[in-house]
Amino acid sequence: MIVQMRTGASKQEIDGVVQRAKSLELDVQLNLGTDKTVVAILGSNTGQLSTDLFAVLPGVEQVTRIMKPYKLASREFKAEDSIVTVNGIEIGGKRVVVMAGPCAVESERQLTAAVKAVKEAGASLLRGGAFKPRTSPFAFQGLEDAGLALLLQARERFSMPVITEVVDPHDVEKVSKYADILQVGARNMQNYPLLTEIGKSKCPVVLKRGLSATVTEWLTAADYLLAGGNEHVILCERGVRTFEDSTRFSLDIGSIPVIKKFSHLPLIVDPSHAAGHYSLVPAMAKAVVAAGADGLLIEVHPNPKEALVDGLQSLTPSDFARLMKELRPIAEAVGRYI
Amino acid sequence: MIVQMRTGASKQEIDGVVQRAKSLELDVQLNLGTDKTVVAILGSNTGQLSTDLFAVLPGVEQVTRIMKPYKLASREFKAEDSIVTVNGIEIGGKRVVVMAGPCAVESERQLTAAVKAVKEAGASLLRGGAFKPRTSPFAFQGLEDAGLALLLQARERFSMPVITEVVDPHDVEKVSKYADILQVGARNMQNYPLLTEIGKSKCPVVLKRGLSATVTEWLTAADYLLAGGNEHVILCERGVRTFEDSTRFSLDIGSIPVIKKFSHLPLIVDPSHAAGHYSLVPAMAKAVVAAGADGLLIEVHPNPKEALVDGLQSLTPSDFARLMKELRPIAEAVGRYI
Amino acid sequence: MIVQMRTGASKQEIDGVVQRAKSLELDVQLNLGTDKTVVAILGSNTGQLSTDLFAVLPGVEQVTRIMKPYKLASREFKAEDSIVTVNGIEIGGKRVVVMAGPCAVESERQLTAAVKAVKEAGASLLRGGAFKPRTSPFAFQGLEDAGLALLLQARERFSMPVITEVVDPHDVEKVSKYADILQVGARNMQNYPLLTEIGKSKCPVVLKRGLSATVTEWLTAADYLLAGGNEHVILCERGVRTFEDSTRFSLDIGSIPVIKKFSHLPLIVDPSHAAGHYSLVPAMAKAVVAAGADGLLIEVHPNPKEALVDGLQSLTPSDFARLMKELRPIAEAVGRYI
Amino acid sequence: MIVQMRTGASKQEIDGVVQRAKSLELDVQLNLGTDKTVVAILGSNTGQLSTDLFAVLPGVEQVTRIMKPYKLASREFKAEDSIVTVNGIEIGGKRVVVMAGPCAVESERQLTAAVKAVKEAGASLLRGGAFKPRTSPFAFQGLEDAGLALLLQARERFSMPVITEVVDPHDVEKVSKYADILQVGARNMQNYPLLTEIGKSKCPVVLKRGLSATVTEWLTAADYLLAGGNEHVILCERGVRTFEDSTRFSLDIGSIPVIKKFSHLPLIVDPSHAAGHYSLVPAMAKAVVAAGADGLLIEVHPNPKEALVDGLQSLTPSDFARLMKELRPIAEAVGRYI
């Protein structure tokens, strides 16, 4: 941490900073600049300390963090890529893993049609929501337990592992019995009681990026899961909130190389929620594969016109099959396969 | 809802839109423009319907919502201002209600010093967090149950009602025994299991605006609480996330007249989290009172230099007392009092 | 345009809206909803009218624009893709056109090394700035006229067309004598005197997206150029400003399919300014090609360590050559070539 | 500047950083941390140097700027408040100066009605645009020279100084003959040829904040004017672009105390453009005065229903007169007057 003193800060004020550093068992180095004194605070855990510890002291103008606040998710903690294995499928390996299915589980018929379609087109996992966090209390909230039962049935009948969302910390144990991967939605990225429970569960988990979370905050949220003892963490970019309104969210394509540079965790991308319209999904999915993501999470509905949730951003089975065909040469062009 | 058809949409496609509207028991009116057909969908609940219902149909170019998605929080549902009364203190009335205290409850000594200071300066409620949602898993997470006990003790000893945060849906019942007002933090504005529990509890609640929530989404989240049967809802603006980095968040001062125009709910503002630095809090607090908010939520710590959380944005007791003095003539200038 | 009246608006207020529409030679259709009257304003130029014309009238609650504000840049105005041809190079055709070179022209030696390197690697145009709009008045502002002379020399010696920025409306004529393509920088996207001059000049122009411009505003700025009579307009996405700080700007990859859907204009992308760091450029460039852009604008410097401007985001010649090799199979995977 | 080396950076790489600092005549101090070496670069002008100078060197992980990039606009350069005096009116003094009038000059009749109204209500300057930068090329662009003539006539007839916008660098000389204060619009905050001309002119100037400019970038743009020799610089906050759409822009109320803390320049605020709707302007104007701004720029139109530009955000003369009355006790409450 770099503590910049105000111009004209007194020796006593500088000593105050040094004393606090020592009380925290940190080393310091004084930089007596021509205009300002700058105190470098040195130690291996300075990323996890609050900058306020020093910023509140008299004579301090500004404190700048040098070490990143996340630790367990960083490449410095673990240099080689992590791979999360689910039913023999490696996420973070050479294969670009596609998870597809409807936004919400609506009925046995709908789910069966969806799983058949996405499996035939080459998806590796079935996605489908039983608990749907909805903006309005008057909207369809998911089939809940009945939805979980349908997912389990589809999973066994079609031998296809399942990813589904969990929203309440007290449902983690139950949902992890049905699901191969738990999904933490964007609005829950900083729901710490939920992260803590999932940390304990050891069930593989996809952690979606919050609507307005920086990459740094997202990796720090991943630290919650990792610190709890769950190493099976997969990140999922799904677009952030900006001023632009021609797409539902702005897909932060730059987060792909940034995450790959600073973290060892596997990263998938959900282009459906970012796009908000089926016609924009294929171009964004292709970009994601070309940029080096480890997988895709795509909404596919057997009949989007009748979907109860997010029909507009869902691909039809035939559009999805065409997209899968188009993605394969792109994956090969970047040294991978689908 | 306004459904705009593509140029050259067929009669059959237009009929498809009309049929769907009728199946939802809505009225339609066709506008055969020179270039495009526009179908107006009429009905009293169109604000609560998903635009996707029509956007997915063939021949549709765009669907625009006319009615707002929130209902119970709107002035159209209830024209006159709502007042939430807590221990005889009216929030939303003529008095500008100040809630003040430390970010986190740290010890009996700290809390006692804080409650004495804020009471003497004229605050009406004591704020203090027992459960602290922290960005990093390595940071202090609050005293939890011991913190609640200290709040209860301070509340009784100083006859000062208490507001404290609840983060887990399963803690709602417990926390509402200790607190006069529950606080839903910004990161939990769309934590629907939590909102649902608080809706049932009937305990007065402060709903903080999400970091990247629009005013419309915030009022729709309030609808969750109201729809659950809890009418004691107070909104709290606390700044939104933008590109600007000289303050911790950007306080959306415009949300005050916007909320007052479109909603009957009382509105308070937390300038401390928006500012991020104690030196910026007074100017922002004054602006809030001048703009017509019903109250303030301010962080005050007996010794910010030793605060475990958010020391940099906490006022000292003497700074807080001075601010209270400065706020009074502003409140009077806008026809209120503190 | 859709004019929504307030609940309980009087007949006279509704008549006021109708009269104003008629005075503007527009048609209207009344939608007498159960709660509210909605007036549809119909006419072929309603996209170019201000919504304020109706929003200011008594009894009006809200006015929603249905038609887009841009016209000449839209697919509705011109359905087929536009191609801009520069020295026989088609931008917007099957070839993905790469424009590369240093951010700023610094010296003959630097520019010669750059042009050799980018030409050998397969770039079609040389980029290089003679006039540099810099955030600080104390920073290097470009070689100005001497820079233009060096560009002309490089252009003739290596038979490579040149793109360079123009910042002052009164320089348009001069710069267009040296350049094959004029570049309008992001900070000048809404510099209307500049756009007006370039509109008159008929010189091919790359219009960069403003830092916080929506796609709609960007296409409306393109209308300035088109309305002035310059049909040789190429759009350039270069990232927008958001809260994320791990990249210099957030590349809006979704703008590629959005522009392709709504506009006929060719679109290139500058991943260098969005990335801000050379290590992130290749992944972003690959994403851009996969998403369907018509070209790339990439910063390459013979010796980034000694660059006077933007060295950190510049590729070395060897990194650029490697990237070009990696881009080719991706272009082929989407049915194009480089 | 703080240069953080990569873990395991070689002695040679560290030496490279030291050598570059020495070649720039800067001092260095090495901080040999437990994990990483950090090099502090010391010197009085490090704020004006590009961080890229060091970030491009081998072995460097990150460079953090400690000194601010602006200089002349800073309190460190000039500690006491600057006051700009226009026709005897002090901007930045104890009086809160109100500048009011129509967005665009439309006709003699309109301007006369406006100037009478705003003068009577207590405004000190007349605002009115002759050159209007408009988003669409099909919109009214201002009366241009005829508008300037009308402003001059109103100025002399009513002895009221005038503020008007200039958009083209080559018009600066002309417009400064008619205007007492030049206005640089938000879209031109980084139009450096324009800033350079105004810097030379010495005419008082209001520099509006760019739509997505940070406070730091805004003050750096002010440095262009100051470095050119024009000391009569007034800043104007007018809202920034965010995701929120219930107001036209988000007024950054926090920028008021931030600017007052870091800069000596006077600061006014335009609540009209931020609000976008007349009903929201009064609350925002009151907040601005309470927060400590030195003035207001408010749109007033004798007949907003017939305004050619921005009618919806214009106050009527009677609304403006009422607002002026309401602002006075707030100004007094913060130790000032209007």
Side-chain angles (χ1 to χ4, degrees):
Chain A
M1 240 180 292
I2 301 296
V3 179
Q4 176 197 359
M5 305 303 294
R6 269 189 213 117
T7 307
S10 69
K11 194 185 165 306
Q12 194 186 347
E13 289 172 334
I14 297 168
D15 279 353
V17 171
V18 172
Q19 288 314 314
R20 174 145 294 184
K22 289 196 173 154
S23 75
L24 295 161
E25 302 188 357
L26 299 166
D27 288 331
V28 302
Q29 192 148 349
L30 291 185
N31 300 284
L32 307 165
T34 44
D35 288 359
K36 302 193 171 186
T37 295
V38 171
V39 187
I41 310 289
L42 308 167
S44 60
N45 68 332
T46 53
Q48 282 71 55
L49 293 175
S50 167
T51 53
D52 277 15
L53 282 168
F54 295 96
V56 293
L57 297 179
V60 171
E61 180 156 319
Q62 202 185 344
V63 182
T64 309
R65 192 194 287 288
I66 295 292
M67 303 287 281
K68 300 212 165 64
Y70 55 88
K71 186 172 169 177
L72 308 177
S74 74
R75 283 245 179 241
E76 302 192 336
F77 183 78
K78 179 165 180 283
E80 67 278 17
D81 288 349
S82 287
I83 292 180
V84 175
T85 306
V86 176
N87 276 37
I89 302 159
E90 290 189 345
I91 302 159
K94 217 183 161 193
R95 183 176 190 176
V96 177
V97 176
V98 179
M99 313 180 185
C103 183
V105 177
E106 296 169 14
S107 68
E108 186 181 344
R109 203 174 141 190
Q110 173 240 24
L111 195 64
T112 304
V115 65
K116 277 185 182 170
V118 302
K119 187 166 188 179
E120 196 183 308
S124 300
L125 283 100
L126 174 65
R127 63 151 291 159
F131 299 90
K132 296 302 307 170
R134 302 302 301 283
T135 311
S136 165
F138 309 110
F140 171 65
Q141 312 276 323
L143 293 182
E144 307 192 343
D145 287 358
L148 289 181
L150 289 175
L151 281 172
L152 187 62
Q153 186 186 308
R155 178 181 183 267
E156 296 188 345
R157 196 169 147 208
F158 295 94
S159 308
M160 201 171 192
V162 156
I163 168 170
T164 198
E165 182 162 359
V166 59
V167 295
D168 187 322
H170 295 255
D171 286 343
V172 169
E173 200 184 326
K174 178 175 73 182
V175 178
S176 60
K177 283 182 192 147
Y178 291 81
D180 300 279
I181 305 182
L182 298 174
Q183 179 183 311
V184 176
R187 284 164 190 77
N188 282 320
M189 191 200 85
Q190 293 184 317
N191 182 335
Y192 301 117
L194 183 66
L195 298 186
T196 301
E197 279 309 308
I198 297 175
K200 290 180 202 154
S201 87
K202 316 277 189 285
C203 183
V205 55
V206 158
L207 179 68
K208 284 199 162 186
R209 179 180 186 178
L211 273 70
S212 61
T214 62
V215 166
T216 296
E217 290 168 336
W218 185 19
L219 290 171
T220 308
D223 260 14
Y224 260 94
L225 297 166
L226 295 163
N230 189 338
E231 297 185 347
H232 313 294
V233 178
I234 303 157
L235 301 168
C236 181
E237 161 73 34
R238 46 76 74 205
V240 293
R241 178 150 281 181
T242 70
F243 60 85
E244 176 58 43
D245 59 2
S246 64
T247 48
R248 194 169 168 190
F249 293 97
S250 295
L251 189 73
D252 182 12
I253 197 82
S255 74
I256 300 174
V258 169
I259 290 282
K260 287 291 164 195
K261 186 173 176 181
F262 293 114
S263 177
H264 56 87
L265 296 173
L267 168 67
I268 65 170
V269 177
D270 171 356
S272 303
H273 278 84
H277 195 282
Y278 63 89
S279 67
L280 307 174
V281 171
M284 288 161 86
K286 290 175 199 173
V288 161
V289 172
D294 299 308
L296 285 162
L297 190 62
I298 297 184
E299 295 200 350
V300 179
H301 194 286
N303 187 3
K305 286 201 294 291
E306 303 300 333
L308 295 180
V309 187
D310 284 346
L312 193 60
Q313 69 197 33
S314 296
L315 298 185
T316 61
S318 65
D319 283 346
F320 177 66
R322 186 181 323 114
L323 174 59
M324 289 294 282
K325 240 179 249 170
E326 292 173 352
L327 289 174
R328 285 192 182 96
I330 298 174
E332 281 159 29
V334 294
R336 304 180 81 157
Y337 69 99
I338 288 187
Chain B
M1 238 180 291
I2 302 296
V3 178
Q4 175 197 359
M5 306 301 295
R6 265 188 216 121
T7 308
S10 69
K11 194 184 164 305
Q12 196 187 345
E13 288 171 334
I14 297 169
D15 279 353
V17 171
V18 172
Q19 287 314 314
R20 173 147 293 187
K22 288 196 174 153
S23 76
L24 295 160
E25 301 188 359
L26 299 166
D27 287 332
V28 301
Q29 194 149 347
L30 292 186
N31 300 282
L32 307 164
T34 43
D35 287 0
K36 300 192 172 187
T37 295
V38 172
V39 187
I41 309 289
L42 309 168
S44 59
N45 68 333
T46 52
Q48 282 70 54
L49 293 175
S50 165
T51 53
D52 277 16
L53 282 169
F54 295 97
V56 293
L57 296 179
V60 172
E61 181 155 319
Q62 202 184 345
V63 181
T64 309
R65 193 193 287 286
I66 295 293
M67 303 288 280
K68 300 211 164 65
Y70 55 87
K71 186 173 169 175
L72 308 176
S74 73
R75 283 245 180 242
E76 303 194 334
F77 183 78
K78 180 165 177 284
E80 66 277 18
D81 287 350
S82 288
I83 292 180
V84 174
T85 307
V86 176
N87 277 37
I89 302 159
E90 289 189 346
I91 301 159
K94 217 182 161 195
R95 183 175 190 177
V96 177
V97 176
V98 178
M99 314 181 183
C103 184
V105 177
E106 296 169 12
S107 68
E108 186 181 346
R109 202 174 141 192
Q110 172 240 25
L111 195 63
T112 304
V115 65
K116 278 184 182 169
V118 302
K119 188 168 187 176
E120 195 183 308
S124 302
L125 284 101
L126 174 66
R127 64 151 292 160
F131 298 91
K132 298 302 310 169
R134 302 301 302 283
T135 310
S136 165
F138 309 110
F140 171 63
Q141 311 276 323
L143 293 183
E144 306 193 344
D145 287 358
L148 289 180
L150 289 175
L151 280 172
L152 187 63
Q153 186 186 309
R155 178 180 183 268
E156 297 188 346
R157 195 168 148 208
F158 296 92
S159 307
M160 202 172 192
V162 157
I163 170 170
T164 198
E165 181 162 1
V166 58
V167 295
D168 187 321
H170 295 255
D171 286 342
V172 169
E173 201 183 326
K174 178 176 73 183
V175 178
S176 59
K177 282 182 193 148
Y178 292 81
D180 300 279
I181 305 182
L182 299 175
Q183 178 182 312
V184 177
R187 284 164 190 77
N188 281 320
M189 191 199 85
Q190 293 184 317
N191 182 335
Y192 301 118
L194 183 65
L195 299 186
T196 301
E197 279 309 308
I198 297 174
K200 288 182 203 151
S201 87
K202 315 278 188 287
C203 184
V205 55
V206 158
L207 179 68
K208 285 201 162 184
R209 180 180 184 177
L211 274 70
S212 60
T214 62
V215 167
T216 296
E217 289 168 338
W218 185 17
L219 290 172
T220 308
D223 260 14
Y224 260 93
L225 297 166
L226 296 163
N230 189 339
E231 295 186 349
H232 314 295
V233 178
I234 303 157
L235 301 168
C236 181
E237 163 72 33
R238 44 80 71 208
V240 293
R241 176 149 282 180
T242 70
F243 60 85
E244 177 57 45
D245 58 2
S246 64
T247 48
R248 192 168 169 193
F249 294 97
S250 296
L251 189 71
D252 183 12
I253 197 81
S255 74
I256 300 175
V258 168
I259 289 283
K260 287 292 165 195
K261 186 173 176 182
F262 293 115
S263 176
H264 56 87
L265 296 173
L267 169 67
I268 67 170
V269 177
D270 170 356
S272 305
H273 278 84
H277 195 280
Y278 63 89
S279 67
L280 308 174
V281 171
M284 287 161 86
K286 291 175 197 173
V288 161
V289 172
D294 299 307
L296 284 162
L297 190 62
I298 297 185
E299 297 200 348
V300 179
H301 194 285
N303 187 2
K305 286 201 294 291
E306 303 300 332
L308 295 180
V309 186
D310 284 347
L312 192 59
Q313 69 198 32
S314 296
L315 298 186
T316 61
S318 65
D319 282 347
F320 177 66
R322 187 182 322 116
L323 174 59
M324 287 295 281
K325 242 179 250 170
E326 293 173 350
L327 289 174
R328 284 191 184 98
I330 297 175
E332 280 158 30
V334 296
R336 306 180 79 158
Y337 68 99
I338 288 187
Chain C
M1 241 181 287
I2 301 296
V3 178
Q4 176 196 359
M5 305 302 295
R6 266 186 216 121
T7 308
S10 69
K11 193 185 166 302
Q12 196 187 343
E13 289 172 334
I14 297 169
D15 280 354
V17 171
V18 172
Q19 288 314 313
R20 172 145 296 184
K22 288 197 173 153
S23 76
L24 295 161
E25 301 189 357
L26 299 166
D27 288 331
V28 303
Q29 193 149 347
L30 293 185
N31 301 283
L32 308 164
T34 44
D35 288 0
K36 301 194 172 186
T37 295
V38 171
V39 188
I41 309 290
L42 309 169
S44 58
N45 67 333
T46 53
Q48 282 71 53
L49 294 174
S50 166
T51 53
D52 277 17
L53 282 169
F54 294 96
V56 293
L57 297 179
V60 171
E61 182 155 320
Q62 203 186 343
V63 181
T64 310
R65 193 194 285 286
I66 294 293
M67 303 287 281
K68 301 211 164 65
Y70 55 87
K71 187 172 166 176
L72 308 177
S74 74
R75 283 245 179 242
E76 302 193 338
F77 183 78
K78 178 164 180 285
E80 67 278 18
D81 288 350
S82 287
I83 292 179
V84 174
T85 306
V86 175
N87 277 37
I89 301 160
E90 289 190 346
I91 301 159
K94 218 181 162 195
R95 184 175 189 177
V96 177
V97 176
V98 179
M99 313 180 184
C103 184
V105 176
E106 296 169 12
S107 68
E108 185 180 345
R109 201 173 142 192
Q110 171 240 26
L111 194 63
T112 303
V115 64
K116 277 186 184 169
V118 302
K119 186 165 187 178
E120 194 183 309
S124 300
L125 284 100
L126 173 67
R127 65 150 291 158
F131 298 91
K132 296 303 308 170
R134 302 301 302 282
T135 309
S136 165
F138 310 110
F140 171 64
Q141 312 276 324
L143 294 183
E144 307 193 343
D145 287 358
L148 288 181
L150 289 175
L151 280 171
L152 187 64
Q153 187 186 309
R155 177 180 184 268
E156 297 188 347
R157 194 168 147 210
F158 295 93
S159 308
M160 202 172 192
V162 157
I163 169 170
T164 198
E165 183 163 359
V166 59
V167 296
D168 188 321
H170 294 255
D171 286 343
V172 169
E173 199 183 328
K174 177 176 73 183
V175 179
S176 60
K177 282 182 194 148
Y178 292 80
D180 300 278
I181 306 182
L182 298 175
Q183 178 182 312
V184 177
R187 284 164 190 79
N188 281 319
M189 191 199 84
Q190 293 184 316
N191 181 336
Y192 300 119
L194 184 65
L195 299 187
T196 301
E197 280 309 308
I198 297 175
K200 287 181 203 154
S201 87
K202 316 277 188 286
C203 183
V205 53
V206 158
L207 179 68
K208 284 200 161 183
R209 181 180 184 176
L211 273 69
S212 61
T214 62
V215 167
T216 296
E217 289 168 336
W218 184 19
L219 290 172
T220 308
D223 261 14
Y224 261 93
L225 297 166
L226 295 164
N230 189 340
E231 296 186 347
H232 313 295
V233 178
I234 302 157
L235 301 167
C236 181
E237 162 72 33
R238 44 79 74 207
V240 293
R241 177 149 281 181
T242 70
F243 60 84
E244 176 58 43
D245 58 3
S246 64
T247 46
R248 192 168 170 193
F249 294 97
S250 294
L251 189 73
D252 183 12
I253 196 83
S255 73
I256 300 174
V258 168
I259 290 282
K260 287 292 165 195
K261 187 173 175 182
F262 293 116
S263 176
H264 56 87
L265 296 173
L267 169 67
I268 66 170
V269 177
D270 170 356
S272 304
H273 277 84
H277 195 281
Y278 64 89
S279 67
L280 307 173
V281 170
M284 288 162 86
K286 291 176 197 172
V288 161
V289 172
D294 300 307
L296 285 161
L297 189 63
I298 297 184
E299 295 200 349
V300 178
H301 193 287
N303 186 3
K305 285 202 295 292
E306 302 300 334
L308 296 180
V309 186
D310 285 346
L312 194 58
Q313 67 198 32
S314 296
L315 298 185
T316 61
S318 65
D319 282 346
F320 177 66
R322 187 183 321 114
L323 174 58
M324 288 294 281
K325 240 180 249 170
E326 291 172 352
L327 289 175
R328 285 192 183 97
I330 298 174
E332 279 160 30
V334 295
R336 304 180 80 157
Y337 69 100
I338 290 187
Chain D
M1 238 180 295
I2 302 297
V3 179
Q4 175 196 359
M5 306 301 295
R6 268 188 215 119
T7 309
S10 69
K11 195 184 164 304
Q12 193 187 349
E13 289 171 334
I14 297 168
D15 280 353
V17 171
V18 172
Q19 287 315 314
R20 172 145 297 186
K22 290 196 173 153
S23 75
L24 295 160
E25 301 188 358
L26 300 166
D27 287 332
V28 302
Q29 193 148 350
L30 290 186
N31 300 283
L32 306 165
T34 44
D35 288 359
K36 300 192 173 189
T37 295
V38 171
V39 187
I41 308 289
L42 308 167
S44 59
N45 68 333
T46 53
Q48 282 69 56
L49 293 175
S50 167
T51 53
D52 278 16
L53 283 168
F54 295 95
V56 294
L57 296 179
V60 172
E61 180 154 319
Q62 204 184 342
V63 181
T64 309
R65 193 195 286 288
I66 295 293
M67 303 288 280
K68 299 212 165 64
Y70 55 88
K71 185 173 172 178
L72 308 177
S74 73
R75 283 244 180 242
E76 303 194 334
F77 182 78
K78 178 165 181 284
E80 67 277 18
D81 288 348
S82 287
I83 292 181
V84 175
T85 306
V86 176
N87 277 38
I89 302 159
E90 289 189 346
I91 301 159
K94 218 184 161 192
R95 183 175 191 178
V96 177
V97 176
V98 179
M99 313 180 185
C103 184
V105 177
E106 296 170 12
S107 68
E108 185 181 347
R109 202 174 140 190
Q110 173 242 23
L111 194 64
T112 304
V115 65
K116 278 184 183 171
V118 302
K119 187 167 189 178
E120 195 184 308
S124 300
L125 283 101
L126 173 67
R127 63 151 292 159
F131 298 90
K132 298 302 309 169
R134 302 300 303 284
T135 312
S136 165
F138 310 110
F140 171 64
Q141 311 276 323
L143 293 184
E144 308 193 342
D145 287 358
L148 288 181
L150 289 174
L151 280 171
L152 186 62
Q153 185 186 309
R155 177 181 185 268
E156 297 188 345
R157 194 167 148 209
F158 296 92
S159 307
M160 201 171 193
V162 156
I163 168 170
T164 198
E165 182 162 359
V166 58
V167 296
D168 187 322
H170 294 256
D171 286 342
V172 169
E173 200 183 327
K174 178 176 72 182
V175 178
S176 60
K177 283 182 193 149
Y178 292 81
D180 300 279
I181 305 182
L182 299 174
Q183 178 183 310
V184 176
R187 285 164 188 77
N188 280 320
M189 191 199 85
Q190 294 184 316
N191 181 337
Y192 301 117
L194 183 66
L195 299 185
T196 301
E197 280 307 309
I198 297 174
K200 289 182 204 154
S201 88
K202 315 278 188 285
C203 183
V205 54
V206 158
L207 179 67
K208 286 200 159 183
R209 179 180 185 178
L211 273 70
S212 61
T214 62
V215 167
T216 297
E217 289 168 335
W218 185 18
L219 290 171
T220 308
D223 259 14
Y224 260 94
L225 297 166
L226 296 162
N230 189 338
E231 297 185 349
H232 313 294
V233 178
I234 303 156
L235 301 168
C236 181
E237 162 72 33
R238 45 78 72 205
V240 293
R241 178 149 280 180
T242 70
F243 60 84
E244 176 58 43
D245 58 2
S246 64
T247 46
R248 192 168 168 192
F249 294 98
S250 295
L251 189 73
D252 182 12
I253 197 81
S255 73
I256 300 174
V258 168
I259 289 282
K260 288 291 164 196
K261 187 173 177 183
F262 293 115
S263 178
H264 56 87
L265 296 173
L267 169 67
I268 66 169
V269 178
D270 171 356
S272 305
H273 277 86
H277 195 281
Y278 63 89
S279 66
L280 308 173
V281 171
M284 289 161 85
K286 291 175 197 173
V288 161
V289 172
D294 300 307
L296 284 162
L297 189 62
I298 298 185
E299 296 200 350
V300 179
H301 193 285
N303 187 2
K305 287 202 293 291
E306 303 300 332
L308 295 180
V309 186
D310 284 346
L312 192 60
Q313 69 197 33
S314 296
L315 298 185
T316 60
S318 65
D319 282 348
F320 178 66
R322 187 182 321 115
L323 174 59
M324 288 295 282
K325 240 179 250 169
E326 293 173 351
L327 290 174
R328 285 193 182 95
I330 298 175
E332 279 158 32
V334 295
R336 305 181 81 158
Y337 68 99
I338 288 186

